[in-house]
Amino acid sequence: MTYRHMTKIVPKPPNEAERLARLREFNILDTPPSEAFDRIAHLASKILDMPITLVSLIDENRQWFKAAVGLDLNETSRDLAFCNAAIRGTDVMVVPDATTDIRFSDNPLVTGEPGIRFYAGAPLRTADGLNMGTLCVIDLKPRVLTKRENEILADLARIVVEEMELVRLAESEHLAQTRLIDAVEALPDGFVLYDKDDKLLLCNEKYREIYAATADLIVPGARFEDLLRAAVARGVCPDALGNEEEWIQHRLDRHRNPQDPIEQNLADGRWLRVEERRTREGGYVGFRIDITEMKNHAAELERLAATDHLTGALNRRRFHALAEAEFRRAQRYDSPMALCLIDADHFKALNDTYGHATGDCALQALVECGRQVLREEDCICRYGGGEVAILLPEPGLLGAARGLH
């Protein structure tokens, strides 16, 4: 139905801008039908014995129906809406006979279809006094509304507002949760959140990628201890090998009493910095930061600082430190050690005759020969120009002789 005009124009409420802003906050306009609102509309129709009931929301230029009983319309022009007048007050607006009410007697909804005669509208009033619309009942014949019926309609209108608030809060909570998940997923590091019972609440995909071997178990409700034991059982934590239970208990203690960050190496060679903190509710929030590149870089720097760039053997500074530590250990435990110093014969003549490149090759070959026969705990060092030093902890006479040879 289309109507072009209405003789009497109802002025808009003085707080119209604020009212419309609040209506937008509910995010309810043009949403699909809702069982909760439909149930309230049907209940009002049955209790008050009315053929038409509407949950009407007054937009800038229209009234839109969130629920409708007995009327096959989604909206009408605001100029035609009885509810447009009802939202200017605080109490139920009753029109016993629209044909005798100068505000509505020439309204096309009265003079034409559906032929409204009786109207009663209870404002949908928010806690801060803004009317979003009405819960209204309509009859096609004149009638009156008893005091009890008036109170019922007002009570049902308050229930409509409460339902609107619940929907708004649910949507706000959903939006907040969506934003949280988006933010968590955008983190470059693994993120995890446990509740006060140490059960998983939330983690991002990066966290599951880090612990891919147990990703199938990382689901909401999973206990931290169960996930930890599964990771150990599946070989994710090489440090636990051989002392599994002791390692698990130590890790659980650090988790339940979080302090400074700890470092954890994984079976695939990666390194993590594990940061955990308690939440105000008694749960735990944690980050898993991949520090593999940093550890590799540090290890390489340490290697470069401790080795001779030409031969790859230990340099003199590092060798002195290791030899001093080994000497103290040998004294403390009264154990033998051997120190060999090898000077390459005719090294200067070799350099002078064939060039330094040939001399470098000779030194590299000498160190490599030593590596092939020495034990893992032995140390070899380029001590000087053509000198190589070898440290042999607890060699025994035969071992020392073999090293010297």
Side-chain angles (χ1 to χ4, degrees):
M1 295 188 296
T2 304
Y3 304 99
R4 295 186 180 277
H5 66 277
M6 178 180 174
T7 305
K8 286 89 179 173
I9 302 298
V10 178
K12 293 181 177 180
N15 58 2
E16 178 69 1
E18 187 179 0
R19 190 192 69 81
L20 286 174
R22 180 58 53 82
L23 181 60
R24 298 287 184 273
E25 290 177 6
F26 280 104
N27 197 30
I28 194 173
L29 294 172
D30 301 310
T31 56
S34 164
E35 182 181 351
F37 292 104
D38 288 345
R39 189 182 300 119
I40 296 171
H42 281 283
L43 187 62
S45 257
K46 289 181 180 179
I47 294 175
L48 302 177
D49 191 26
M50 296 286 178
I52 300 174
T53 301
L54 304 170
V55 176
S56 171
L57 300 169
I58 303 300
D59 197 3
E60 186 173 6
N61 298 306
R62 60 172 178 158
Q63 70 168 342
W64 179 80
F65 306 133
K66 179 59 181 175
V69 174
L71 188 65
D72 190 22
L73 285 175
N74 292 325
E75 61 181 61
T76 71
S77 168
R78 179 172 176 172
D79 291 339
L80 301 179
F82 283 54
C83 301
N84 190 37
I87 65 169
R88 290 185 58 82
T90 59
D91 300 321
V92 176
M93 187 185 86
V94 180
V95 180
D97 185 353
T99 61
T100 63
D101 190 313
I102 61 173
R103 295 173 297 173
F104 307 109
S105 57
D106 61 351
N107 188 312
L109 298 177
V110 176
T111 60
E113 294 293 332
I116 296 175
R117 294 298 179 265
F118 172 83
Y119 170 90
L124 301 177
R125 194 171 183 81
T126 63
D128 52 354
L130 298 173
N131 293 334
M132 302 294 97
T134 71
L135 172 64
C136 65
V137 289
I138 297 171
D139 205 340
L140 305 184
K141 61 179 184 292
R143 60 181 289 178
V144 294
L145 202 66
T146 68
K147 180 181 178 182
R148 177 176 176 276
E149 290 173 331
N150 187 301
E151 291 172 350
I152 289 173
L153 185 61
D155 285 342
L156 290 173
R158 283 190 282 271
I159 294 175
V160 170
V161 175
E162 289 173 359
E163 184 62 29
M164 289 172 62
E165 289 287 358
L166 288 174
V167 171
R168 183 181 67 83
L169 288 173
E171 290 184 351
S172 296
E173 183 178 349
H174 176 71
L175 179 60
Q177 186 175 13
T178 299
R179 286 173 174 169
L180 172 63
I181 292 174
D182 288 345
V184 167
E185 289 298 340
L187 292 172
D189 307 311
F191 173 87
V192 66
L193 178 64
Y194 288 90
D195 66 13
K196 60 183 179 62
D197 296 319
D198 224 4
K199 294 181 179 179
L200 180 67
L201 289 175
L202 173 69
C203 72
N204 61 3
E205 194 59 34
K206 183 66 175 179
Y207 186 86
R208 290 190 175 90
E209 290 176 4
I210 289 172
Y211 298 111
T214 55
D216 58 314
L217 305 177
I218 302 175
V219 295
R223 295 173 63 246
F224 176 83
E225 182 174 350
D226 294 338
L227 294 175
L228 182 63
R229 291 185 178 278
V232 171
R234 297 183 182 184
V236 176
C237 311
D239 287 346
L241 188 62
N243 60 334
E244 288 81 357
E245 190 58 33
E246 181 182 350
W247 188 90
I248 289 172
Q249 291 305 320
H250 177 72
R251 181 67 186 90
L252 286 174
D253 181 65
R254 291 299 300 265
H255 170 72
R256 292 164 181 165
N257 302 281
Q259 299 172 6
D260 295 331
I262 62 174
E263 293 182 353
Q264 177 186 8
N265 65 317
L266 303 180
D268 59 6
R270 287 178 299 159
W271 279 87
L272 303 175
R273 184 167 70 244
V274 177
E275 297 184 3
E276 294 178 322
R277 293 289 184 273
R278 275 193 176 276
T279 64
R280 285 181 294 179
E281 293 79 14
Y284 305 88
V285 62
F287 292 89
R288 303 295 186 270
I289 303 166
D290 192 324
I291 58 171
T292 306
E293 185 175 347
M294 183 184 73
K295 294 287 285 187
N296 290 342
H297 183 63
E300 179 62 15
L301 288 178
E302 185 178 352
R303 186 192 68 80
L304 291 174
T307 57
D308 171 58
H309 72 280
L310 175 62
T311 62
L314 295 177
N315 58 27
R316 181 185 295 196
R317 180 180 179 183
R318 179 59 176 163
F319 184 78
H320 279 172
L322 291 176
E324 184 176 350
E326 180 57 31
F327 181 74
R328 288 197 301 268
R329 190 194 68 81
Q331 282 186 318
R332 185 166 58 251
Y333 295 105
D334 193 22
S335 59
M337 63 173 289
L339 180 63
C340 311
L341 186 61
I342 303 172
D343 189 3
D345 292 338
H346 312 300
F347 184 68
K348 184 178 183 306
L350 181 67
N351 279 331
D352 293 342
T353 303
Y354 299 102
H356 287 282
T358 302
D360 291 345
C361 289
L363 281 176
Q364 291 169 345
L366 178 61
V367 169
E368 184 58 32
C369 286
R371 285 201 182 102
Q372 290 179 8
V373 298
L374 294 177
R375 301 167 300 172
E376 185 176 351
E377 62 268 30
D378 298 333
C379 300
I380 186 168
C381 159
R382 183 187 177 189
Y383 199 75
E387 297 172 336
V388 173
I390 299 175
L391 178 66
L392 304 168
E394 300 189 33
L397 292 176
L398 183 59
R402 185 185 302 113
L404 287 171
H405 177 74

